Amino acid sequence: MEKYHKSTVYDRCKMNGSSPDILKPDLYKKYPNSDKVPLPKPKSTNPVLLDDALRKRRSFREYLQKSIDLDTLSYLLWATSGINKLIQSSWGEIGLRTAPSAGACYPIETYIIVNKLKNQIGVKGLDMGVYHYDVEYHQLEVVIPGDFREPLMKACLEQHYCGTAPVVFIFTAIFNRTKYKYEDRGYRYIFLDAGHQVQNLALAITGLHLGGVPIGAFYDDEMNSIIAVDGIFESTIYVYPIGCIK
Ligand SMILES: Cc1cc2nc3c(=O)[nH]c(=O)nc-3n(C[C@H](O)[C@H](O)[C@H](O)COP(=O)(O)O)c2cc1C
């Protein structure tokens, strides 16, 4: 770790300005052949003061057997990863987002896994399965339908709340998006970016009287295979189960 840190410091005498030998990656990941699920326009169903959310935010690991609705999911996806302003840049039009990103590279992709509760599906109107959040069009793309409760729990070192939550957010990084601009130093920025997004999620769920917990303990390869990413150019970096709480 010390070696990595030292080798990626900015130094007045030695600044590396060149771009690495990689193609500029697309800003938006797409699943062109997937079924799409349009999401309702994001609006908070229960606005609270930021100060209240800051005072109440906590990690919750037990959830009620109660599903969440699509309006709520839509708002949480937008609050975490969504676009809040369109601007013209030298690369064309880009959507700035609710969370900052070093160099506006936006390396983080958001997936959700919809679980089954005792008598209902975790998100009203959706089937069980893995979905990708299409940031550009604020819609979900079906990646793999099915029941992932067991493999998800196992991949997260048996943390049962990954299987009992109605919905689990999974954040990946597409490393080249940031590496393209910042080379190896970009690795630092990717996790800072993810932290901003996940804090948005933490505050947004607190505001909606939901609970969740950030999870950094998981078997990387198992998580990557659940959501079907390669683990090399794109890899899981954070998991966040969410549910209704008492
Ligand atoms: C990067 C990171 C990774 C974490 N990983 C886990 C985890 O794998 N399992 C878990 O139960 N909690 C995990 N947590 C939650 C912490 O245990 C929790 O934030 C901490 O105990 C403080 O409690 P609070 O969030 O309620 O304030 C993680 C938190 C962070 C920031």
Side-chain angles (χ1 to χ4, degrees), residues 57-59 61 159 161 213-217 238:
R57 188 218 56 84
R58 198 86 291 132
S59 292
R61 298 174 179 83
Q159 300 187 75
Y161 22 98
V213 57
I215 292 197
Y238 227 161

Side-chain angles (χ1 to χ4, degrees), residues 60-89:
F60 289 92
R61 298 174 179 83
E62 300 297 333
Y63 313 111
L64 302 175
Q65 290 293 305
K66 196 173 156 198
S67 57
I68 68 167
D69 59 36
L70 214 49
D71 282 323
T72 301
L73 180 65
S74 166
Y75 183 70
L76 294 178
L77 285 163
W78 173 79
T80 305
S81 315
I83 292 173
N84 63 3
K85 188 180 172 76
L86 291 172
I87 59 155
Q88 290 301 325
S89 79

Side-chain angles (χ1 to χ4, degrees), residues 24-196:
K24 185 175 176 338
D26 292 338
L27 194 55
Y28 300 111
K29 183 174 185 184
K30 300 284 177 188
Y31 288 81
N33 301 322
S34 66
D35 289 338
K36 312 288 188 240
V37 183
L39 290 166
K41 206 167 165 336
K43 59 175 192 310
S44 176
T45 47
N46 191 0
V48 291
L49 291 176
L50 175 62
D51 184 60
D52 285 340
L54 290 170
R55 284 176 197 282
K56 287 187 188 141
R57 188 218 56 84
R58 198 86 291 132
S59 292
F60 289 92
R61 298 174 179 83
E62 300 297 333
Y63 313 111
L64 302 175
Q65 290 293 305
K66 196 173 156 198
S67 57
I68 68 167
D69 59 36
L70 214 49
D71 282 323
T72 301
L73 180 65
S74 166
Y75 183 70
L76 294 178
L77 285 163
W78 173 79
T80 305
S81 315
I83 292 173
N84 63 3
K85 188 180 172 76
L86 291 172
I87 59 155
Q88 290 301 325
S89 79
S90 51
W91 298 342
E93 186 180 78
I94 63 165
L96 298 177
R97 308 194 192 173
T98 53
S101 170
C105 295
Y106 301 111
I108 310 299
E109 291 291 326
T110 308
Y111 298 78
I112 58 160
I113 294 188
V114 177
N115 283 333
K116 188 170 184 288
L117 305 175
K118 271 190 188 121
N119 298 317
Q120 55 198 319
I121 306 296
V123 179
K124 286 183 198 126
L126 295 184
D127 293 326
M128 280 188 288
V130 179
Y131 298 78
H132 171 253
Y133 176 50
D134 175 356
V135 175
E136 189 177 18
Y137 294 112
H138 188 63
Q139 63 183 354
L140 289 171
E141 300 174 304
V142 180
V143 180
I144 319 167
D147 183 355
F148 289 91
R149 287 175 292 178
E150 198 66 27
L152 189 53
M153 223 151 56
K154 287 192 173 141
C156 292
L157 281 65
E158 306 292 340
Q159 300 187 75
H160 69 273
Y161 22 98
C162 293
T164 54
V167 62
V168 180
F169 279 59
I170 294 159
F171 298 94
T172 67
I174 296 185
F175 300 109
N176 279 348
R177 284 206 191 124
T178 301
K179 188 176 174 184
Y180 176 79
K181 192 160 186 176
Y182 296 107
E183 301 201 327
D184 284 349
R185 188 176 169 89
Y187 197 66
R188 302 177 183 208
Y189 296 160
I190 285 168
F191 294 90
L192 297 175
D193 279 16
H196 289 294

